[in-house]
Amino acid sequence: DVKVTQSSRYLVKRTGEKVFLECVQDMDHENMFWYRQDPGLGLRLIYFSYDVKMKEKGDIPEGYSVSREKKERFSLILESASTNQTSMYLCASRSGDGRSYEQYFGPGTRLTVT
Amino acid sequence: GDSVTQMEGPVTLSEEAFLTINCTYTATGYPSLFWYVQYPGEGLQLLLKATKADDKGSNKGFEATYRKETTSFHLEKGSVQVSDSAVYFCALMDSSYKLIFGSGTRLLVRP
């Protein structure tokens, strides 16, 4: 079974702090994604990566950056956390071989910025 | 741009009732369509998919048919169980292979 793990289930940070959210997948997937989930808005794509050291902006990249130094790990960084970044963050991965469309999701990190 | 619209929730049903969650989409071309489910405290998992017009996706008693003429992909189940209580997301895959999600519909099934 594909497993996508996220470093924390719950996180509380203060405004202005630098925040790191880590995601690790164990299926050698090329593609990895970061979403945020907010009530009534569904999931919105923040950033994605097609390969190591490659990154592409999604629909709402402002205030976020990412890092992918190893294939299995994709990190989301909030350089200076703000209260409007309080949300559920979901990581996902997908094979890049073109035969599978399924994205596999981690359990999510609920981030509260006070 | 591409978008997905699904019915607002919550949807509250009694056990063994019939379920329909409506989903319509706007896209160029004929995208692949998906239903994902999120159980309490968990991430999303793929429930079913359809990759071309008239395809029917099915899993765990749930079904959805890709209707090109009405640009719809409604989710149905003949008899829901308490364990089906979750949030359901309709999604399409755009031309860049990214998923675009609807806003989600919460389903609550009462015993």
Side-chain angles (χ1 to χ4, degrees):
Chain A
D1 275 355
V2 174
K3 197 166 179 78
V4 179
T5 56
Q6 296 183 227
S7 50
S8 305
R9 294 299 299 270
Y10 300 93
L11 210 51
V12 180
K13 295 292 182 181
R14 294 193 181 278
T15 301
E17 278 193 83
K18 189 169 186 175
V19 182
F20 292 87
L21 303 182
E22 304 285 338
C23 175
V24 177
Q25 51 95 3
D26 67 357
M27 278 301 291
D28 203 35
H29 284 170
E30 288 78 9
N31 303 322
M32 296 187 75
F33 308 82
W34 274 107
Y35 298 89
R36 64 176 283 174
Q37 180 182 2
D38 299 289
L41 297 177
L43 275 72
R44 293 178 292 167
L45 183 63
I46 305 171
Y47 267 97
F48 60 101
S49 169
Y50 287 130
D51 204 345
V52 176
K53 297 192 186 295
M54 306 279 289
K55 60 185 179 184
E56 297 277 345
K57 292 180 180 179
D59 299 317
I60 52 165
E62 296 78 18
Y64 304 94
S65 62
V66 290
S67 172
R68 194 164 180 205
E69 296 296 319
K70 294 185 177 182
K71 192 174 186 180
E72 68 271 18
R73 188 180 298 270
F74 192 35
S75 302
L76 179 69
I77 303 156
L78 287 65
E79 294 290 342
S80 178
S82 63
T83 55
N84 63 12
Q85 292 178 310
T86 291
S87 186
M88 171 72 87
Y89 290 88
L90 292 167
C91 174
S93 72
R94 179 171 64 87
S95 169
D97 64 10
R99 289 174 293 176
S100 172
Y101 296 144
E102 182 173 357
Q103 288 191 18
Y104 296 85
F105 284 81
T109 295
R110 186 167 294 281
L111 173 68
T112 301
V113 183
T114 61
Chain B
D2 296 354
S3 65
V4 175
T5 302
Q6 58 182 109
M7 61 189 288
E8 286 191 26
V11 173
T12 303
L13 296 173
S14 297
E15 206 164 22
E16 299 184 1
F18 185 87
L19 168 72
T20 300
I21 300 178
N22 291 336
C23 171
T24 57
Y25 67 90
T26 302
T28 52
Y30 303 106
S32 294
L33 301 174
F34 305 83
W35 277 100
Y36 277 81
V37 59
Q38 184 179 33
Y39 297 105
E42 298 182 13
L44 278 69
Q45 55 185 273
L46 180 65
L47 181 59
L48 53 84
K49 69 177 187 283
T51 57
K52 61 182 187 297
D54 299 325
D55 264 3
K56 177 184 282 189
S58 62
N59 186 26
K60 299 182 180 180
F62 290 89
E63 293 183 341
T65 301
Y66 191 142
R67 301 283 188 202
K68 180 180 63 175
E69 60 278 7
T70 55
T71 62
S72 64
F73 192 54
H74 304 322
L75 182 68
E76 297 181 335
K77 187 175 185 183
S79 176
V80 293
Q81 306 300 312
V82 173
S83 57
D84 294 327
S85 297
V87 181
Y88 293 82
F89 292 91
C90 185
L92 66 81
M93 180 168 289
D94 71 9
S95 55
S96 303
Y97 299 100
K98 298 195 300 288
L99 287 176
I100 296 173
F101 288 88
S103 57
T105 302
R106 181 175 299 277
L107 170 65
L108 177 61
V109 180
R110 300 190 188 281

